[in-house]
Amino acid sequence: MLTVDFSRFPLAPGDRVLDLGCGAGRHAFECYRRGARVVALDQNGDEIREVAKWFAAMKEAGEAPEGATATAMEGDALALPFPDESFDVVIISEVMEHIPDDKGVLAEMVRVLKPGGRIAITVPRYGPEKVCWTLSDAYHEVEGGHIRIYKADELLARIREAGLRPYGTHHAHALHSPYWWLKCAFGVDNDEALPVKAYHKLLVWDIMKKPLATRVAEQALNPLIGKSFVAYATKPHLPPVGAA
C-alpha cells in the first residue's frame, strides 16, 4: 500500500533515493522495482533486517531492473550518515509526526538532497487524526507515538522555511480512516472487536484484490476523509556565487 503517488512524483531509473524512516520498506521496494538506487534507513534494527531480506529476495526473483541497487541500514534521521547533495529523491512517509525536532529532520533531508531534487513527505491528516486523538489517549500516548498533528498549511510552511518549494499535495487512504476510528473507539489493542475484525477483512480484501468499486470510492472520499496528507517539493538550484 503506497502513500506516495509516483504519477505525481516522477522517478527515473538510476535515481539515488533515500527512504527515510522506511519502516517495513513499502516505498523503498517500489523505488527498487522502478530501477532506482535505493537506501532504506530506519532506527529500528529489526525492521531494517527484514527490509534487507526482502531486497535480497526481490533481486533473486528478478523484480528489480538491471542497474538498480538497494541497501538497508540503521541510522538517525537527525544525523544522516551521508555527504551533502547525495540523493536525487528523498521520501519520508508517516515519520515526522513522531519526531520532536521536525525542523532538524527537514534540515537534514535538504542537506542530503541535490539541487533540483525532489522530496515527498506524508503525515497523518489533521481531521481524521484529531478524531483518533479524541477517541483514544492510548492511540498517541505511547512510546514512539504521534506527538503532533499537522495542519496542511503548517506543514507546507515548514517545508518552505527549510528552503524547499512545494509543487503539489493530495490526500490518501480514505478507507483506512474509519478503521482507525473503530480501533480507537473499541481499544487500540483490541483486535477482536467484531466491527474492527470485519473492517480489517474489508481492507485486506481491498489491498489484495484492488476492486474497481473500492478504488472509485476511495478516490471520491480522499478529499474528505483521506487518512494521510501528502506534499511534494523540490530543492531549488542556487544561483552561482557572485551572481547578481
Side-chain angles (χ1 to χ4, degrees):
M1 184 185 71
L2 299 174
T3 308
V4 172
D5 181 351
F6 286 92
S7 69
R8 310 181 197 216
F9 189 65
L11 191 68
D15 275 351
R16 192 156 191 239
V17 177
L18 172 63
D19 185 2
L20 181 56
C22 65
R26 58 201 173 105
H27 289 106
F29 300 149
E30 181 65 20
C31 293
Y32 190 31
R33 290 187 188 98
R34 290 171 178 261
R37 295 173 294 153
V38 183
V39 176
L41 184 144
D42 201 285
Q43 67 177 3
N44 187 315
D46 291 337
E47 287 198 310
I48 283 298
R49 284 185 282 277
E50 282 299 310
V51 170
K53 289 178 184 177
W54 279 105
F55 278 151
M58 290 172 67
K59 182 177 181 179
E60 175 129 3
E63 289 188 41
E66 185 176 351
T69 62
T71 302
M73 61 186 296
E74 288 185 61
D76 182 354
L78 290 165
L80 295 174
F82 310 112
D84 296 355
E85 301 178 4
S86 299
F87 293 94
D88 303 289
V89 173
V90 176
I91 297 171
I92 184 166
S93 182
E94 312 299 301
V95 173
M96 287 180 57
E97 67 276 8
H98 297 271
I99 300 177
D101 186 7
D102 58 344
K103 290 184 179 180
V105 173
L106 273 167
E108 272 293 86
M109 291 190 291
V110 172
R111 179 183 69 78
V112 302
L113 187 64
K114 295 177 182 178
R118 303 172 303 286
I119 189 166
I121 299 173
T122 91
V123 296
R125 184 184 186 176
Y126 183 84
E129 184 76 347
K130 189 69 174 177
V131 173
C132 290
W133 282 45
T134 300
L135 289 171
S136 170
D137 290 336
Y139 171 79
H140 63 96
E141 291 182 357
V142 294
E143 184 178 354
H146 299 183
I147 62 171
R148 71 175 65 82
I149 309 176
Y150 288 102
K151 291 184 178 179
D153 57 352
E154 292 172 344
L155 180 60
L156 291 172
R158 276 180 167 79
I159 291 171
R160 292 187 181 97
E161 288 167 6
L164 298 166
R165 292 179 181 168
Y167 70 84
T169 65
H170 64 90
H171 301 99
H173 309 319
L175 295 182
H176 288 249
S177 290
Y179 172 72
W180 283 103
W181 297 338
L182 288 169
K183 288 270 287 181
C184 290
F186 286 92
V188 290
D189 296 320
N190 181 12
D191 293 329
E192 296 305 311
L194 184 58
V196 174
K197 288 180 71 173
Y199 202 97
H200 183 263
K201 287 183 179 180
L202 170 67
L203 290 179
V204 171
W205 172 76
D206 174 57
I207 291 169
M208 298 300 294
K209 300 297 184 181
K210 298 181 175 62
L212 178 61
T214 55
R215 295 301 88 212
V216 171
E218 184 157 77
Q219 188 173 9
L221 289 170
N222 274 336
L224 301 173
I225 60 168
K227 184 75 170 66
S228 294
F229 174 71
V230 188
Y232 305 106
T234 59
K235 179 177 178 178
H237 290 275
L238 295 177
V241 175

